[in-house]
Amino acid sequence: MPKCLPILLASTLLSGCMAVGGDYDRQPPPAAQTDWIDRANVAVAEEEFVAWWRELGDPELARLIEAALENNLTIRQGLARIEEANARRLRARAARYPTVSAESSTTVLQQSLNTQLGQAQFPGFERQYEQYALGAAFNWQVDLWGQARRRIDAADARVELLIAAANGARLAIASETAATYFNMAGFQQEKRALLLGIEAQRTQLGLAETRLEAGAISRAQLILVEAELARLEEQLPGVEAEIQANALALGVLTGRLPETEIALVDRVPPLLELPDIPVGTRADLLKRRPDVARLERELAVQTFEIGVARGELFPQLGLDASGGFTSIDPGAILSSDSTRFTIAPFLSWRVFDGGRVRADIRLAQAEARTAALAYVEGTLTAIEEAEIAIAQYDLAREGRPLALRTIELAQENLRLARIRFEAGEIDRFELQNAERTYSDSLRNGAISYRNSTLALAQLYAALGGGWQAVPPPPTTPAPIPVSD
C-alpha cells in the first residue's frame, strides 16, 4: 500500500471530528410567547387559514384566487428561483465527493529529425508511431475541518429561504387578489347605490318640471333638483373607472392578459357576511408568516457562512491520483508492463494573505448580527401588523350594522318627507335634503362594505393565512460525478 494512503485515511477520520464553527440551532421568535392586546390566545387549526376564501360563499372569489396561485407570474418566478437554489445545493453536496474521470486516447507521434535523438537514428528507431492509452484520474478535496459541510448547510438554508419567499409571494398574491376583488365589488355596490339615487332624482326632476309648468314651484326650486341630479351623475364615471381598473388588475394577477376578467365589470357580487375570525396565538402567527420564516432562514445562512469563512484559516488537504495503461502496441495495452500510476497527496495553507481571511470572517459575523436584528424586527413587525389588522377588522365589523341602520333611517326619513311634501307641510328644499341624505347613506353603506371586506383580506394576510405552502424540492444523495 502506498505510504500516502495512511495519511489520507487519518485525515478522513479527522474530518468528522473537527469543525470550523458556525453552528446554528433554530430559535423560536423572541416575541412568540406574548399575548394579544384584545384577543385571547386560543389555539386554532391551521386548516382555517389555508383557503379561507372558500368559506365566504363566493365561487367567483375562490376561482380568481386559486387561478392566481396557480398562474401568477411573480409566484412562478419564485418557484424558478427555488429550482436554481436546489441545483446549487446539489452542486455543494457533490463537492464533498471525489471526482473520477476516465480517458481513452490514440495519439499519432512524429519525432523531429533535427534533434540529437533524431539525428542519431538508433537501431529500430521509428520516426512516426502510434501510442494508445487507457486510464482514470481521481481528485478529492478532503473536508478536513467541515468547511464543505457548512457550505452544504448554507445551501440547504438558502433553498428553505427561497421556499419561504415563494410562500410569501403566494400570501401576497392571494391577499392582493382578494383585496382587488373586494375593492371592485365595493365600487359595484357604490355604483348600484348611485344608479338608484340617479333614477330617483330623475323621477323627481320629471315631477318638478310638471309642477313648474303648473306654476306650483319656482324655477329656482327646479334648478335645485337639476343640481342634485348633476352631482350624482358627475360621480358615476369615476366609480365605473375604478370598477374597470380592478377587473383589469384581476386579469394580470391571474397571469393572463388584463382584459381576461373584464366581464366581471357587469357582475354585482353577492354581499358577504363578515365572519368572526379566530386569530389563534402569537406563536402560531409567527409560525405561519412566511416573511418571518424567510428572515429566520437568512439568519441561518449567514451563521453558516461564518463557518465557511473560518475554514480558510486552516490547511486544505487533497489527493490527486491517476493511473492506467499506455502502450505503442494496442495488443499489449492491458499487459502489466503497460501500467502506470501517480499518487500525489497535497497540502495547502495560506501563510500570509494580508488579513483577507480574517476580514472575511469579520464580515460574515457582522452579516449574521445584521440578520439576527432583522429577524427580531421582523417578528415585531409581524405582530404589529396583526394587531393593527385585528383592530381595523373588528371596528369595521362593528360599524357594518351601524351603516345598515343609517340606510334604514334615511329611507324612512325620505318616505315621511315625501308624505309631508305632498301634504304641503314642507317645501321642495327640505325634501331635497331628505333625498340627498338617503342617497349619501347608500353610498356610505357601500363604502363601509368595501372597507370591511378589505379589512377582512388584510387581516388574513397579516395572520399569515391563504398561501398554501410550496412543497420543498426533492433531495437525492449526490452520486460520484462522472465527466465525459
PDB file of all heavy atoms in Angstrom, residues 39 44 48-49 52 56 274-280 389-390 393-394 397 452 455-460 463:
ATOM      1  N   ARG A  39     -57.395  40.097  22.150  1.00  0.00           N
ATOM      2  CA  ARG A  39     -57.874  38.765  21.793  1.00  0.00           C
ATOM      3  C   ARG A  39     -57.261  37.725  22.724  1.00  0.00           C
ATOM      4  O   ARG A  39     -56.141  37.898  23.201  1.00  0.00           O
ATOM      5  CB  ARG A  39     -57.503  38.414  20.352  1.00  0.00           C
ATOM      6  CG  ARG A  39     -58.225  39.229  19.282  1.00  0.00           C
ATOM      7  CD  ARG A  39     -59.690  38.860  19.187  1.00  0.00           C
ATOM      8  NE  ARG A  39     -60.315  39.485  18.032  1.00  0.00           N
ATOM      9  CZ  ARG A  39     -60.669  38.824  16.939  1.00  0.00           C
ATOM     10  NH1 ARG A  39     -60.453  37.518  16.865  1.00  0.00           N
ATOM     11  NH2 ARG A  39     -61.240  39.456  15.932  1.00  0.00           N
ATOM     12  N   VAL A  44     -55.760  27.532  17.172  1.00  0.00           N
ATOM     13  CA  VAL A  44     -56.636  27.444  16.008  1.00  0.00           C
ATOM     14  C   VAL A  44     -56.016  26.462  15.022  1.00  0.00           C
ATOM     15  O   VAL A  44     -54.794  26.473  14.806  1.00  0.00           O
ATOM     16  CB  VAL A  44     -56.816  28.820  15.341  1.00  0.00           C
ATOM     17  CG1 VAL A  44     -57.684  28.698  14.102  1.00  0.00           C
ATOM     18  CG2 VAL A  44     -57.434  29.799  16.317  1.00  0.00           C
ATOM     19  N   GLU A  48     -57.931  26.362   9.014  1.00  0.00           N
ATOM     20  CA  GLU A  48     -58.803  27.529   8.943  1.00  0.00           C
ATOM     21  C   GLU A  48     -58.149  28.684   8.196  1.00  0.00           C
ATOM     22  O   GLU A  48     -58.830  29.629   7.809  1.00  0.00           O
ATOM     23  CB  GLU A  48     -59.196  27.972  10.360  1.00  0.00           C
ATOM     24  CG  GLU A  48     -60.012  26.942  11.104  1.00  0.00           C
ATOM     25  CD  GLU A  48     -60.640  27.510  12.360  1.00  0.00           C
ATOM     26  OE1 GLU A  48     -60.985  28.702  12.356  1.00  0.00           O
ATOM     27  OE2 GLU A  48     -60.788  26.772  13.337  1.00  0.00           O
ATOM     28  N   PHE A  49     -56.844  28.626   8.009  1.00  0.00           N
ATOM     29  CA  PHE A  49     -56.147  29.722   7.356  1.00  0.00           C
ATOM     30  C   PHE A  49     -55.697  29.383   5.936  1.00  0.00           C
ATOM     31  O   PHE A  49     -55.337  30.264   5.179  1.00  0.00           O
ATOM     32  CB  PHE A  49     -54.916  30.120   8.179  1.00  0.00           C
ATOM     33  CG  PHE A  49     -55.252  30.734   9.503  1.00  0.00           C
ATOM     34  CD1 PHE A  49     -55.332  29.968  10.643  1.00  0.00           C
ATOM     35  CD2 PHE A  49     -55.516  32.098   9.599  1.00  0.00           C
ATOM     36  CE1 PHE A  49     -55.650  30.538  11.867  1.00  0.00           C
ATOM     37  CE2 PHE A  49     -55.840  32.665  10.815  1.00  0.00           C
ATOM     38  CZ  PHE A  49     -55.914  31.886  11.951  1.00  0.00           C
ATOM     39  N   TRP A  52     -59.020  30.271   3.226  1.00  0.00           N
ATOM     40  CA  TRP A  52     -60.101  30.942   3.939  1.00  0.00           C
ATOM     41  C   TRP A  52     -61.173  31.463   2.995  1.00  0.00           C
ATOM     42  O   TRP A  52     -62.338  31.587   3.366  1.00  0.00           O
ATOM     43  CB  TRP A  52     -59.537  32.080   4.776  1.00  0.00           C
ATOM     44  CG  TRP A  52     -58.698  33.066   4.013  1.00  0.00           C
ATOM     45  CD1 TRP A  52     -57.356  33.050   3.864  1.00  0.00           C
ATOM     46  CD2 TRP A  52     -59.163  34.218   3.296  1.00  0.00           C
ATOM     47  NE1 TRP A  52     -56.935  34.104   3.092  1.00  0.00           N
ATOM     48  CE2 TRP A  52     -58.027  34.844   2.735  1.00  0.00           C
ATOM     49  CE3 TRP A  52     -60.423  34.784   3.072  1.00  0.00           C
ATOM     50  CZ2 TRP A  52     -58.113  35.998   1.960  1.00  0.00           C
ATOM     51  CZ3 TRP A  52     -60.514  35.934   2.306  1.00  0.00           C
ATOM     52  CH2 TRP A  52     -59.367  36.530   1.760  1.00  0.00           C
ATOM     53  N   LEU A  56     -66.288  31.802   2.368  1.00  0.00           N
ATOM     54  CA  LEU A  56     -67.088  33.022   2.266  1.00  0.00           C
ATOM     55  C   LEU A  56     -68.294  32.872   1.352  1.00  0.00           C
ATOM     56  O   LEU A  56     -69.125  33.776   1.277  1.00  0.00           O
ATOM     57  CB  LEU A  56     -66.205  34.183   1.762  1.00  0.00           C
ATOM     58  CG  LEU A  56     -65.028  34.550   2.671  1.00  0.00           C
ATOM     59  CD1 LEU A  56     -64.213  35.678   2.066  1.00  0.00           C
ATOM     60  CD2 LEU A  56     -65.520  34.945   4.054  1.00  0.00           C
ATOM     61  N   LEU A 274     -69.557  39.074   7.222  1.00  0.00           N
ATOM     62  CA  LEU A 274     -68.230  39.252   7.805  1.00  0.00           C
ATOM     63  C   LEU A 274     -68.082  38.282   8.972  1.00  0.00           C
ATOM     64  O   LEU A 274     -68.706  38.464  10.017  1.00  0.00           O
ATOM     65  CB  LEU A 274     -68.046  40.696   8.279  1.00  0.00           C
ATOM     66  CG  LEU A 274     -68.167  41.757   7.180  1.00  0.00           C
ATOM     67  CD1 LEU A 274     -68.032  43.144   7.782  1.00  0.00           C
ATOM     68  CD2 LEU A 274     -67.115  41.545   6.107  1.00  0.00           C
ATOM     69  N   PRO A 275     -67.262  37.233   8.807  1.00  0.00           N
ATOM     70  CA  PRO A 275     -67.175  36.204   9.864  1.00  0.00           C
ATOM     71  C   PRO A 275     -66.364  36.685  11.056  1.00  0.00           C
ATOM     72  O   PRO A 275     -65.550  37.609  10.958  1.00  0.00           O
ATOM     73  CB  PRO A 275     -66.462  35.052   9.149  1.00  0.00           C
ATOM     74  CG  PRO A 275     -65.612  35.725   8.121  1.00  0.00           C
ATOM     75  CD  PRO A 275     -66.386  36.935   7.664  1.00  0.00           C
ATOM     76  N   ASP A 276     -66.589  36.018  12.166  1.00  0.00           N
ATOM     77  CA  ASP A 276     -65.767  36.226  13.350  1.00  0.00           C
ATOM     78  C   ASP A 276     -64.518  35.358  13.188  1.00  0.00           C
ATOM     79  O   ASP A 276     -64.607  34.138  13.180  1.00  0.00           O
ATOM     80  CB  ASP A 276     -66.542  35.835  14.614  1.00  0.00           C
ATOM     81  CG  ASP A 276     -65.715  36.064  15.878  1.00  0.00           C
ATOM     82  OD1 ASP A 276     -64.683  36.763  15.795  1.00  0.00           O
ATOM     83  OD2 ASP A 276     -66.093  35.529  16.932  1.00  0.00           O
ATOM     84  N   ILE A 277     -63.362  35.982  13.022  1.00  0.00           N
ATOM     85  CA  ILE A 277     -62.141  35.255  12.688  1.00  0.00           C
ATOM     86  C   ILE A 277     -61.344  34.964  13.956  1.00  0.00           C
ATOM     87  O   ILE A 277     -60.873  35.893  14.620  1.00  0.00           O
ATOM     88  CB  ILE A 277     -61.272  36.061  11.708  1.00  0.00           C
ATOM     89  CG1 ILE A 277     -62.065  36.343  10.436  1.00  0.00           C
ATOM     90  CG2 ILE A 277     -59.987  35.310  11.380  1.00  0.00           C
ATOM     91  CD1 ILE A 277     -61.346  37.241   9.464  1.00  0.00           C
ATOM     92  N   PRO A 278     -61.156  33.702  14.302  1.00  0.00           N
ATOM     93  CA  PRO A 278     -60.271  33.374  15.429  1.00  0.00           C
ATOM     94  C   PRO A 278     -58.821  33.565  14.993  1.00  0.00           C
ATOM     95  O   PRO A 278     -58.399  33.047  13.961  1.00  0.00           O
ATOM     96  CB  PRO A 278     -60.580  31.906  15.709  1.00  0.00           C
ATOM     97  CG  PRO A 278     -61.073  31.369  14.399  1.00  0.00           C
ATOM     98  CD  PRO A 278     -61.756  32.502  13.690  1.00  0.00           C
ATOM     99  N   VAL A 279     -58.057  34.290  15.744  1.00  0.00           N
ATOM    100  CA  VAL A 279     -56.700  34.636  15.330  1.00  0.00           C
ATOM    101  C   VAL A 279     -55.646  33.688  15.883  1.00  0.00           C
ATOM    102  O   VAL A 279     -54.475  33.763  15.506  1.00  0.00           O
ATOM    103  CB  VAL A 279     -56.350  36.085  15.741  1.00  0.00           C
ATOM    104  CG1 VAL A 279     -57.295  37.058  15.054  1.00  0.00           C
ATOM    105  CG2 VAL A 279     -56.403  36.261  17.256  1.00  0.00           C
ATOM    106  N   GLY A 280     -56.029  32.768  16.788  1.00  0.00           N
ATOM    107  CA  GLY A 280     -55.049  31.841  17.343  1.00  0.00           C
ATOM    108  C   GLY A 280     -54.139  32.520  18.355  1.00  0.00           C
ATOM    109  O   GLY A 280     -54.555  33.404  19.106  1.00  0.00           O
ATOM    110  N   ALA A 389     -54.339  44.977  12.024  1.00  0.00           N
ATOM    111  CA  ALA A 389     -55.365  44.361  11.189  1.00  0.00           C
ATOM    112  C   ALA A 389     -56.531  43.853  12.029  1.00  0.00           C
ATOM    113  O   ALA A 389     -57.696  43.972  11.623  1.00  0.00           O
ATOM    114  CB  ALA A 389     -54.752  43.217  10.381  1.00  0.00           C
ATOM    115  N   ILE A 390     -56.238  43.289  13.198  1.00  0.00           N
ATOM    116  CA  ILE A 390     -57.311  42.826  14.089  1.00  0.00           C
ATOM    117  C   ILE A 390     -58.195  44.002  14.507  1.00  0.00           C
ATOM    118  O   ILE A 390     -59.434  43.924  14.455  1.00  0.00           O
ATOM    119  CB  ILE A 390     -56.718  42.130  15.321  1.00  0.00           C
ATOM    120  CG1 ILE A 390     -56.102  40.790  14.933  1.00  0.00           C
ATOM    121  CG2 ILE A 390     -57.789  41.925  16.399  1.00  0.00           C
ATOM    122  CD1 ILE A 390     -55.289  40.150  16.045  1.00  0.00           C
ATOM    123  N   TYR A 393     -60.268  45.357  11.511  1.00  0.00           N
ATOM    124  CA  TYR A 393     -61.362  44.470  11.122  1.00  0.00           C
ATOM    125  C   TYR A 393     -62.467  44.473  12.174  1.00  0.00           C
ATOM    126  O   TYR A 393     -63.659  44.514  11.830  1.00  0.00           O
ATOM    127  CB  TYR A 393     -60.850  43.053  10.908  1.00  0.00           C
ATOM    128  CG  TYR A 393     -61.937  42.091  10.498  1.00  0.00           C
ATOM    129  CD1 TYR A 393     -62.538  42.183   9.248  1.00  0.00           C
ATOM    130  CD2 TYR A 393     -62.392  41.099  11.369  1.00  0.00           C
ATOM    131  CE1 TYR A 393     -63.549  41.313   8.866  1.00  0.00           C
ATOM    132  CE2 TYR A 393     -63.394  40.218  10.999  1.00  0.00           C
ATOM    133  CZ  TYR A 393     -63.968  40.338   9.746  1.00  0.00           C
ATOM    134  OH  TYR A 393     -64.984  39.473   9.377  1.00  0.00           O
ATOM    135  N   ASP A 394     -62.090  44.416  13.429  1.00  0.00           N
ATOM    136  CA  ASP A 394     -63.104  44.425  14.482  1.00  0.00           C
ATOM    137  C   ASP A 394     -63.941  45.706  14.430  1.00  0.00           C
ATOM    138  O   ASP A 394     -65.167  45.665  14.565  1.00  0.00           O
ATOM    139  CB  ASP A 394     -62.437  44.281  15.854  1.00  0.00           C
ATOM    140  CG  ASP A 394     -61.914  42.865  16.096  1.00  0.00           C
ATOM    141  OD1 ASP A 394     -62.300  41.954  15.337  1.00  0.00           O
ATOM    142  OD2 ASP A 394     -61.140  42.678  17.056  1.00  0.00           O
ATOM    143  N   ARG A 397     -66.160  45.617  11.356  1.00  0.00           N
ATOM    144  CA  ARG A 397     -67.258  44.671  11.560  1.00  0.00           C
ATOM    145  C   ARG A 397     -68.312  45.251  12.504  1.00  0.00           C
ATOM    146  O   ARG A 397     -69.523  45.046  12.298  1.00  0.00           O
ATOM    147  CB  ARG A 397     -66.685  43.374  12.139  1.00  0.00           C
ATOM    148  CG  ARG A 397     -67.619  42.188  12.101  1.00  0.00           C
ATOM    149  CD  ARG A 397     -66.836  40.899  12.266  1.00  0.00           C
ATOM    150  NE  ARG A 397     -67.739  39.759  12.377  1.00  0.00           N
ATOM    151  CZ  ARG A 397     -68.109  39.203  13.513  1.00  0.00           C
ATOM    152  NH1 ARG A 397     -67.635  39.661  14.662  1.00  0.00           N
ATOM    153  NH2 ARG A 397     -68.937  38.182  13.525  1.00  0.00           N
ATOM    154  N   SER A 452     -64.847  47.157   4.911  1.00  0.00           N
ATOM    155  CA  SER A 452     -64.933  45.969   5.775  1.00  0.00           C
ATOM    156  C   SER A 452     -64.319  44.749   5.102  1.00  0.00           C
ATOM    157  O   SER A 452     -63.577  43.983   5.729  1.00  0.00           O
ATOM    158  CB  SER A 452     -66.397  45.680   6.117  1.00  0.00           C
ATOM    159  OG  SER A 452     -66.976  46.774   6.808  1.00  0.00           O
ATOM    160  N   ALA A 455     -60.613  45.071   4.936  1.00  0.00           N
ATOM    161  CA  ALA A 455     -60.051  44.759   6.253  1.00  0.00           C
ATOM    162  C   ALA A 455     -60.008  43.253   6.481  1.00  0.00           C
ATOM    163  O   ALA A 455     -59.074  42.737   7.122  1.00  0.00           O
ATOM    164  CB  ALA A 455     -60.864  45.436   7.351  1.00  0.00           C
ATOM    165  N   LEU A 456     -60.999  42.525   5.952  1.00  0.00           N
ATOM    166  CA  LEU A 456     -61.012  41.069   6.055  1.00  0.00           C
ATOM    167  C   LEU A 456     -59.795  40.475   5.333  1.00  0.00           C
ATOM    168  O   LEU A 456     -59.084  39.625   5.884  1.00  0.00           O
ATOM    169  CB  LEU A 456     -62.306  40.530   5.447  1.00  0.00           C
ATOM    170  CG  LEU A 456     -62.412  39.015   5.276  1.00  0.00           C
ATOM    171  CD1 LEU A 456     -62.456  38.324   6.627  1.00  0.00           C
ATOM    172  CD2 LEU A 456     -63.646  38.665   4.451  1.00  0.00           C
ATOM    173  N   ALA A 457     -59.554  40.926   4.098  1.00  0.00           N
ATOM    174  CA  ALA A 457     -58.399  40.422   3.340  1.00  0.00           C
ATOM    175  C   ALA A 457     -57.096  40.780   4.032  1.00  0.00           C
ATOM    176  O   ALA A 457     -56.167  39.963   4.101  1.00  0.00           O
ATOM    177  CB  ALA A 457     -58.430  40.985   1.917  1.00  0.00           C
ATOM    178  N   GLN A 458     -57.009  41.985   4.552  1.00  0.00           N
ATOM    179  CA  GLN A 458     -55.780  42.425   5.225  1.00  0.00           C
ATOM    180  C   GLN A 458     -55.534  41.635   6.512  1.00  0.00           C
ATOM    181  O   GLN A 458     -54.386  41.341   6.864  1.00  0.00           O
ATOM    182  CB  GLN A 458     -55.864  43.921   5.513  1.00  0.00           C
ATOM    183  CG  GLN A 458     -55.789  44.778   4.257  1.00  0.00           C
ATOM    184  CD  GLN A 458     -56.227  46.214   4.498  1.00  0.00           C
ATOM    185  OE1 GLN A 458     -56.602  46.589   5.609  1.00  0.00           O
ATOM    186  NE2 GLN A 458     -56.185  47.033   3.450  1.00  0.00           N
ATOM    187  N   LEU A 459     -56.602  41.283   7.205  1.00  0.00           N
ATOM    188  CA  LEU A 459     -56.438  40.512   8.437  1.00  0.00           C
ATOM    189  C   LEU A 459     -55.885  39.125   8.136  1.00  0.00           C
ATOM    190  O   LEU A 459     -54.948  38.660   8.796  1.00  0.00           O
ATOM    191  CB  LEU A 459     -57.769  40.405   9.176  1.00  0.00           C
ATOM    192  CG  LEU A 459     -57.748  39.544  10.451  1.00  0.00           C
ATOM    193  CD1 LEU A 459     -56.700  40.035  11.438  1.00  0.00           C
ATOM    194  CD2 LEU A 459     -59.119  39.516  11.097  1.00  0.00           C
ATOM    195  N   TYR A 460     -56.453  38.447   7.134  1.00  0.00           N
ATOM    196  CA  TYR A 460     -55.945  37.127   6.804  1.00  0.00           C
ATOM    197  C   TYR A 460     -54.491  37.198   6.327  1.00  0.00           C
ATOM    198  O   TYR A 460     -53.686  36.305   6.628  1.00  0.00           O
ATOM    199  CB  TYR A 460     -56.827  36.465   5.747  1.00  0.00           C
ATOM    200  CG  TYR A 460     -57.967  35.677   6.338  1.00  0.00           C
ATOM    201  CD1 TYR A 460     -59.287  36.054   6.136  1.00  0.00           C
ATOM    202  CD2 TYR A 460     -57.714  34.548   7.110  1.00  0.00           C
ATOM    203  CE1 TYR A 460     -60.338  35.323   6.686  1.00  0.00           C
ATOM    204  CE2 TYR A 460     -58.754  33.814   7.664  1.00  0.00           C
ATOM    205  CZ  TYR A 460     -60.067  34.201   7.451  1.00  0.00           C
ATOM    206  OH  TYR A 460     -61.090  33.474   7.998  1.00  0.00           O
ATOM    207  N   LEU A 463     -52.334  37.630   9.364  1.00  0.00           N
ATOM    208  CA  LEU A 463     -52.272  36.405  10.158  1.00  0.00           C
ATOM    209  C   LEU A 463     -51.488  35.300   9.460  1.00  0.00           C
ATOM    210  O   LEU A 463     -51.306  34.217  10.011  1.00  0.00           O
ATOM    211  CB  LEU A 463     -53.685  35.911  10.474  1.00  0.00           C
ATOM    212  CG  LEU A 463     -54.522  36.809  11.392  1.00  0.00           C
ATOM    213  CD1 LEU A 463     -55.934  36.251  11.532  1.00  0.00           C
ATOM    214  CD2 LEU A 463     -53.870  36.964  12.756  1.00  0.00           C
TER     215      LEU A 463
END
